[in-house]
Amino acid sequence: MKGVSKTVVLLRPSFCIGGRIMNYYNVAKIVNTRGLRGELKVIAYTDFPEERFQAGTELQLFKDANATTPTQAVTVQSAKPFKGMWLIQLAGLDSINEVEKFKGMMLKIAEDQLQELADGEFYQHEIIGLTVIEDGQTLGKVKEILSYGPNDVWVVERPGKKDLLLPYLNDVVLKVDLDKSIVEVAVPEGLD
């Protein structure tokens, strides 16, 4: 089983176009500008920054992570890794004065821009909300995924108990069944 893709997190249906609800997914947060020519420093929230920030890719700007309506569409002109972040130049925005207002904003992609993942890989929004089961007993629901160390940690909300922190390891997460909306697990001794 491969690791869960930390690519993006579904916030909620965001925007209606022609009667169709569009879902948007976080791919980066704009944290600052760099230089005078309009480059943006971003923190990537995707496992695929080379693809998400490829020249010509259309992204949507949102006021913040919880905003449901894009403020404007932008197109990536160029991008490169920079000190644990990414530097992105947006097409047609060539001055610090034009991009400074974007600090703190989120870059998102539309649902139709999501790519197929390999077997055993999942987008976070597919995992959050799944029922967690051990030996036929329901433990709770995945409410959050933490991505701080070598493997993700799934936060399982349990009724009447403290949240359970499950490392995403082959010996712990045994099976993910998206069709049935369940995750079968084996909680290591002492973790509960």
Short mmCIF file of all heavy atoms in Angstrom, two decimals, residues 48-91:
data_model
loop_
_atom_site.label_atom_id
_atom_site.label_comp_id
_atom_site.label_asym_id
_atom_site.label_seq_id
_atom_site.Cartn_x
_atom_site.Cartn_y
_atom_site.Cartn_z
N PHE A 48 2.29 17.16 -6.06
CA PHE A 48 2.63 17.30 -7.47
C PHE A 48 2.93 18.75 -7.85
O PHE A 48 2.34 19.29 -8.77
CB PHE A 48 1.47 16.80 -8.34
CG PHE A 48 0.91 15.48 -7.91
CD1 PHE A 48 -0.33 15.41 -7.30
CD2 PHE A 48 1.62 14.30 -8.11
CE1 PHE A 48 -0.85 14.19 -6.90
CE2 PHE A 48 1.11 13.08 -7.72
CZ PHE A 48 -0.13 13.01 -7.10
N PRO A 49 3.85 19.43 -7.17
CA PRO A 49 4.08 20.84 -7.47
C PRO A 49 4.58 21.07 -8.90
O PRO A 49 4.22 22.07 -9.53
CB PRO A 49 5.11 21.29 -6.44
CG PRO A 49 5.76 20.05 -5.96
CD PRO A 49 4.72 18.97 -6.08
N GLU A 50 5.38 20.15 -9.43
CA GLU A 50 5.89 20.32 -10.79
C GLU A 50 4.74 20.37 -11.81
O GLU A 50 4.80 21.09 -12.81
CB GLU A 50 6.86 19.19 -11.17
CG GLU A 50 8.14 19.19 -10.37
CD GLU A 50 8.02 18.45 -9.04
OE1 GLU A 50 6.94 17.87 -8.75
OE2 GLU A 50 8.98 18.48 -8.26
N GLU A 51 3.69 19.61 -11.55
CA GLU A 51 2.54 19.59 -12.45
C GLU A 51 1.58 20.74 -12.16
O GLU A 51 1.07 21.39 -13.07
CB GLU A 51 1.82 18.25 -12.34
CG GLU A 51 2.68 17.10 -12.84
CD GLU A 51 2.13 15.75 -12.45
OE1 GLU A 51 0.90 15.61 -12.34
OE2 GLU A 51 2.94 14.83 -12.27
N ARG A 52 1.33 20.99 -10.89
CA ARG A 52 0.38 22.05 -10.52
C ARG A 52 0.89 23.43 -10.91
O ARG A 52 0.10 24.33 -11.19
CB ARG A 52 0.10 22.03 -9.02
CG ARG A 52 -0.53 20.76 -8.53
CD ARG A 52 -1.95 20.63 -9.03
NE ARG A 52 -2.52 19.38 -8.55
CZ ARG A 52 -3.17 18.53 -9.32
NH1 ARG A 52 -3.34 18.78 -10.59
NH2 ARG A 52 -3.66 17.43 -8.82
N PHE A 53 2.21 23.62 -10.88
CA PHE A 53 2.78 24.93 -11.17
C PHE A 53 3.46 24.97 -12.55
O PHE A 53 4.28 25.84 -12.82
CB PHE A 53 3.79 25.32 -10.09
CG PHE A 53 3.23 25.24 -8.68
CD1 PHE A 53 4.02 24.79 -7.64
CD2 PHE A 53 1.92 25.60 -8.40
CE1 PHE A 53 3.52 24.71 -6.34
CE2 PHE A 53 1.41 25.52 -7.11
CZ PHE A 53 2.22 25.07 -6.08
N GLN A 54 3.11 24.04 -13.41
CA GLN A 54 3.67 24.00 -14.76
C GLN A 54 3.20 25.22 -15.54
O GLN A 54 2.06 25.68 -15.40
CB GLN A 54 3.19 22.72 -15.44
CG GLN A 54 3.79 22.48 -16.78
CD GLN A 54 3.35 21.11 -17.32
OE1 GLN A 54 2.61 20.37 -16.70
NE2 GLN A 54 3.83 20.80 -18.51
N ALA A 55 4.06 25.76 -16.36
CA ALA A 55 3.71 26.92 -17.19
C ALA A 55 2.43 26.63 -17.98
O ALA A 55 2.28 25.57 -18.57
CB ALA A 55 4.85 27.27 -18.13
N GLY A 56 1.51 27.57 -17.94
CA GLY A 56 0.25 27.44 -18.65
C GLY A 56 -0.89 26.89 -17.81
O GLY A 56 -2.05 26.92 -18.23
N THR A 57 -0.59 26.40 -16.60
CA THR A 57 -1.63 25.86 -15.72
C THR A 57 -2.50 26.99 -15.18
O THR A 57 -1.99 28.00 -14.70
CB THR A 57 -1.02 25.08 -14.54
OG1 THR A 57 -0.24 24.01 -15.06
CG2 THR A 57 -2.09 24.55 -13.61
N GLU A 58 -3.81 26.82 -15.26
CA GLU A 58 -4.73 27.81 -14.69
C GLU A 58 -5.04 27.44 -13.24
O GLU A 58 -5.37 26.30 -12.93
CB GLU A 58 -6.03 27.87 -15.48
CG GLU A 58 -6.95 28.96 -14.95
CD GLU A 58 -8.21 29.14 -15.78
OE1 GLU A 58 -8.10 29.59 -16.92
OE2 GLU A 58 -9.29 28.82 -15.25
N LEU A 59 -4.89 28.42 -12.37
CA LEU A 59 -5.21 28.30 -10.95
C LEU A 59 -6.23 29.36 -10.60
O LEU A 59 -6.36 30.37 -11.30
CB LEU A 59 -3.95 28.47 -10.10
CG LEU A 59 -2.80 27.50 -10.36
CD1 LEU A 59 -1.55 27.93 -9.59
CD2 LEU A 59 -3.19 26.08 -9.99
N GLN A 60 -6.92 29.15 -9.50
CA GLN A 60 -7.89 30.12 -9.01
C GLN A 60 -7.38 30.74 -7.72
O GLN A 60 -6.87 30.02 -6.85
CB GLN A 60 -9.25 29.45 -8.76
CG GLN A 60 -9.85 28.76 -9.96
CD GLN A 60 -10.24 29.74 -11.05
OE1 GLN A 60 -10.70 30.84 -10.78
NE2 GLN A 60 -10.04 29.33 -12.30
N LEU A 61 -7.51 32.03 -7.60
CA LEU A 61 -7.13 32.74 -6.37
C LEU A 61 -8.35 32.83 -5.46
O LEU A 61 -9.45 33.17 -5.90
CB LEU A 61 -6.68 34.16 -6.70
CG LEU A 61 -5.22 34.37 -7.00
CD1 LEU A 61 -4.99 35.75 -7.57
CD2 LEU A 61 -4.36 34.15 -5.77
N PHE A 62 -8.14 32.50 -4.18
CA PHE A 62 -9.19 32.61 -3.16
C PHE A 62 -8.65 33.45 -2.02
O PHE A 62 -7.46 33.38 -1.70
CB PHE A 62 -9.56 31.22 -2.63
CG PHE A 62 -10.41 30.41 -3.57
CD1 PHE A 62 -9.86 29.82 -4.70
CD2 PHE A 62 -11.76 30.22 -3.31
CE1 PHE A 62 -10.64 29.07 -5.57
CE2 PHE A 62 -12.54 29.47 -4.17
CZ PHE A 62 -11.99 28.89 -5.30
N LYS A 63 -9.54 34.20 -1.38
CA LYS A 63 -9.14 35.08 -0.28
C LYS A 63 -8.40 34.30 0.81
O LYS A 63 -7.42 34.77 1.35
CB LYS A 63 -10.38 35.77 0.30
CG LYS A 63 -10.07 36.72 1.41
CD LYS A 63 -11.33 37.39 1.93
CE LYS A 63 -11.00 38.24 3.14
NZ LYS A 63 -12.18 38.62 3.89
N ASP A 64 -8.91 33.11 1.16
CA ASP A 64 -8.26 32.26 2.16
C ASP A 64 -8.71 30.82 1.95
O ASP A 64 -9.48 30.53 1.03
CB ASP A 64 -8.56 32.74 3.60
CG ASP A 64 -10.05 32.79 3.91
OD1 ASP A 64 -10.79 31.87 3.53
OD2 ASP A 64 -10.47 33.76 4.57
N ALA A 65 -8.25 29.92 2.81
CA ALA A 65 -8.54 28.49 2.64
C ALA A 65 -10.02 28.17 2.75
O ALA A 65 -10.49 27.20 2.16
CB ALA A 65 -7.76 27.68 3.68
N ASN A 66 -10.77 28.98 3.48
CA ASN A 66 -12.20 28.69 3.67
C ASN A 66 -13.11 29.40 2.67
O ASN A 66 -14.31 29.16 2.67
CB ASN A 66 -12.62 29.05 5.10
CG ASN A 66 -11.90 28.19 6.11
OD1 ASN A 66 -11.77 26.99 5.92
ND2 ASN A 66 -11.41 28.81 7.16
N ALA A 67 -12.56 30.27 1.87
CA ALA A 67 -13.37 31.00 0.89
C ALA A 67 -13.95 30.02 -0.13
O ALA A 67 -13.32 29.03 -0.50
CB ALA A 67 -12.53 32.06 0.18
N THR A 68 -15.17 30.27 -0.55
CA THR A 68 -15.85 29.36 -1.47
C THR A 68 -15.95 29.91 -2.89
O THR A 68 -16.34 29.19 -3.79
CB THR A 68 -17.26 29.04 -0.95
OG1 THR A 68 -17.99 30.26 -0.81
CG2 THR A 68 -17.20 28.31 0.38
N THR A 69 -15.62 31.17 -3.07
CA THR A 69 -15.73 31.79 -4.39
C THR A 69 -14.38 32.35 -4.81
O THR A 69 -13.77 33.12 -4.07
CB THR A 69 -16.77 32.93 -4.36
OG1 THR A 69 -18.00 32.42 -3.86
CG2 THR A 69 -16.98 33.49 -5.75
N PRO A 70 -13.89 31.96 -6.00
CA PRO A 70 -12.60 32.50 -6.43
C PRO A 70 -12.69 34.00 -6.70
O PRO A 70 -13.73 34.50 -7.12
CB PRO A 70 -12.31 31.73 -7.73
CG PRO A 70 -13.60 31.15 -8.16
CD PRO A 70 -14.50 31.06 -6.98
N THR A 71 -11.57 34.70 -6.42
CA THR A 71 -11.53 36.13 -6.71
C THR A 71 -11.11 36.38 -8.14
O THR A 71 -11.55 37.35 -8.75
CB THR A 71 -10.57 36.88 -5.76
OG1 THR A 71 -9.27 36.33 -5.90
CG2 THR A 71 -11.02 36.75 -4.31
N GLN A 72 -10.25 35.51 -8.68
CA GLN A 72 -9.86 35.61 -10.08
C GLN A 72 -9.09 34.38 -10.51
O GLN A 72 -8.51 33.68 -9.69
CB GLN A 72 -9.04 36.88 -10.35
CG GLN A 72 -7.59 36.83 -9.91
CD GLN A 72 -6.87 38.14 -10.18
OE1 GLN A 72 -7.06 39.11 -9.47
NE2 GLN A 72 -6.03 38.17 -11.21
N ALA A 73 -9.08 34.14 -11.81
CA ALA A 73 -8.28 33.07 -12.39
C ALA A 73 -6.92 33.64 -12.76
O ALA A 73 -6.82 34.79 -13.19
CB ALA A 73 -8.97 32.50 -13.62
N VAL A 74 -5.88 32.85 -12.56
CA VAL A 74 -4.53 33.25 -12.93
C VAL A 74 -3.87 32.08 -13.67
O VAL A 74 -4.26 30.93 -13.51
CB VAL A 74 -3.68 33.65 -11.71
CG1 VAL A 74 -4.20 34.93 -11.08
CG2 VAL A 74 -3.61 32.53 -10.69
N THR A 75 -2.86 32.41 -14.47
CA THR A 75 -2.13 31.39 -15.22
C THR A 75 -0.67 31.43 -14.82
O THR A 75 -0.07 32.51 -14.75
CB THR A 75 -2.28 31.64 -16.74
OG1 THR A 75 -3.67 31.62 -17.07
CG2 THR A 75 -1.56 30.55 -17.54
N VAL A 76 -0.11 30.26 -14.56
CA VAL A 76 1.30 30.17 -14.19
C VAL A 76 2.16 30.44 -15.43
O VAL A 76 1.95 29.83 -16.48
CB VAL A 76 1.63 28.78 -13.62
CG1 VAL A 76 3.12 28.65 -13.33
CG2 VAL A 76 0.80 28.49 -12.37
N GLN A 77 3.08 31.37 -15.29
CA GLN A 77 4.04 31.64 -16.36
C GLN A 77 5.29 30.80 -16.17
O GLN A 77 5.82 30.23 -17.11
CB GLN A 77 4.40 33.12 -16.38
CG GLN A 77 5.40 33.51 -17.45
CD GLN A 77 5.62 35.01 -17.46
OE1 GLN A 77 4.68 35.79 -17.52
NE2 GLN A 77 6.88 35.42 -17.39
N SER A 78 5.76 30.74 -14.91
CA SER A 78 6.93 29.93 -14.58
C SER A 78 6.92 29.63 -13.09
O SER A 78 6.26 30.32 -12.32
CB SER A 78 8.23 30.64 -14.97
OG SER A 78 8.38 31.83 -14.21
N ALA A 79 7.67 28.60 -12.71
CA ALA A 79 7.77 28.24 -11.29
C ALA A 79 9.06 27.46 -11.07
O ALA A 79 9.55 26.79 -11.97
CB ALA A 79 6.57 27.41 -10.88
N LYS A 80 9.59 27.59 -9.85
CA LYS A 80 10.79 26.84 -9.49
C LYS A 80 10.85 26.68 -7.98
O LYS A 80 10.35 27.53 -7.23
CB LYS A 80 12.05 27.54 -10.01
CG LYS A 80 12.25 28.94 -9.46
CD LYS A 80 13.43 29.63 -10.13
CE LYS A 80 13.50 31.08 -9.66
NZ LYS A 80 14.45 31.86 -10.44
N PRO A 81 11.45 25.57 -7.52
CA PRO A 81 11.61 25.38 -6.07
C PRO A 81 12.56 26.44 -5.51
O PRO A 81 13.49 26.88 -6.20
CB PRO A 81 12.23 23.99 -5.95
CG PRO A 81 12.21 23.37 -7.29
CD PRO A 81 11.98 24.45 -8.29
N PHE A 82 12.28 26.84 -4.25
CA PHE A 82 13.10 27.88 -3.63
C PHE A 82 13.04 27.74 -2.12
O PHE A 82 12.02 28.02 -1.50
CB PHE A 82 12.58 29.26 -4.05
CG PHE A 82 13.31 30.42 -3.43
CD1 PHE A 82 14.56 30.80 -3.89
CD2 PHE A 82 12.74 31.14 -2.39
CE1 PHE A 82 15.24 31.87 -3.32
CE2 PHE A 82 13.40 32.21 -1.81
CZ PHE A 82 14.66 32.58 -2.27
N LYS A 83 14.13 27.25 -1.50
CA LYS A 83 14.27 27.16 -0.05
C LYS A 83 13.04 26.53 0.62
O LYS A 83 12.46 27.10 1.55
CB LYS A 83 14.54 28.54 0.54
CG LYS A 83 15.84 29.16 0.07
CD LYS A 83 16.08 30.50 0.73
CE LYS A 83 17.39 31.09 0.23
NZ LYS A 83 17.68 32.38 0.84
N GLY A 84 12.64 25.36 0.17
CA GLY A 84 11.52 24.64 0.77
C GLY A 84 10.17 25.17 0.34
O GLY A 84 9.14 24.68 0.81
N MET A 85 10.15 26.15 -0.50
CA MET A 85 8.90 26.71 -1.04
C MET A 85 9.00 26.68 -2.56
O MET A 85 9.87 26.04 -3.12
CB MET A 85 8.70 28.15 -0.55
CG MET A 85 8.44 28.27 0.93
SD MET A 85 8.02 29.96 1.38
CE MET A 85 9.57 30.49 2.06
N TRP A 86 8.11 27.44 -3.19
CA TRP A 86 8.13 27.60 -4.64
C TRP A 86 8.04 29.07 -4.97
O TRP A 86 7.34 29.82 -4.28
CB TRP A 86 6.96 26.85 -5.28
CG TRP A 86 7.24 25.39 -5.38
CD1 TRP A 86 7.16 24.46 -4.38
CD2 TRP A 86 7.70 24.69 -6.53
NE1 TRP A 86 7.53 23.24 -4.84
CE2 TRP A 86 7.86 23.34 -6.16
CE3 TRP A 86 7.99 25.06 -7.83
CZ2 TRP A 86 8.30 22.37 -7.05
CZ3 TRP A 86 8.41 24.09 -8.72
CH2 TRP A 86 8.57 22.76 -8.33
N LEU A 87 8.73 29.48 -6.02
CA LEU A 87 8.59 30.82 -6.58
C LEU A 87 7.74 30.67 -7.83
O LEU A 87 8.07 29.88 -8.72
CB LEU A 87 9.94 31.42 -6.95
CG LEU A 87 10.85 31.80 -5.79
CD1 LEU A 87 12.18 32.33 -6.33
CD2 LEU A 87 10.20 32.83 -4.89
N ILE A 88 6.66 31.43 -7.89
CA ILE A 88 5.76 31.36 -9.03
C ILE A 88 5.62 32.74 -9.64
O ILE A 88 5.43 33.73 -8.94
CB ILE A 88 4.36 30.85 -8.59
CG1 ILE A 88 4.47 29.42 -8.08
CG2 ILE A 88 3.37 30.95 -9.73
CD1 ILE A 88 3.16 28.84 -7.62
N GLN A 89 5.73 32.78 -10.95
CA GLN A 89 5.47 33.99 -11.72
C GLN A 89 4.16 33.78 -12.45
O GLN A 89 3.99 32.78 -13.14
CB GLN A 89 6.60 34.23 -12.73
CG GLN A 89 6.42 35.49 -13.55
CD GLN A 89 6.76 36.74 -12.75
OE1 GLN A 89 7.81 36.81 -12.12
NE2 GLN A 89 5.88 37.72 -12.78
N LEU A 90 3.22 34.69 -12.28
CA LEU A 90 1.92 34.59 -12.95
C LEU A 90 1.94 35.39 -14.24
O LEU A 90 2.51 36.49 -14.29
CB LEU A 90 0.81 35.09 -12.03
CG LEU A 90 0.67 34.32 -10.70
CD1 LEU A 90 -0.38 34.97 -9.81
CD2 LEU A 90 0.33 32.86 -10.95
N ALA A 91 1.34 34.85 -15.26
CA ALA A 91 1.31 35.50 -16.58
C ALA A 91 0.63 36.86 -16.49
O ALA A 91 -0.43 37.00 -15.87
CB ALA A 91 0.59 34.61 -17.59
#
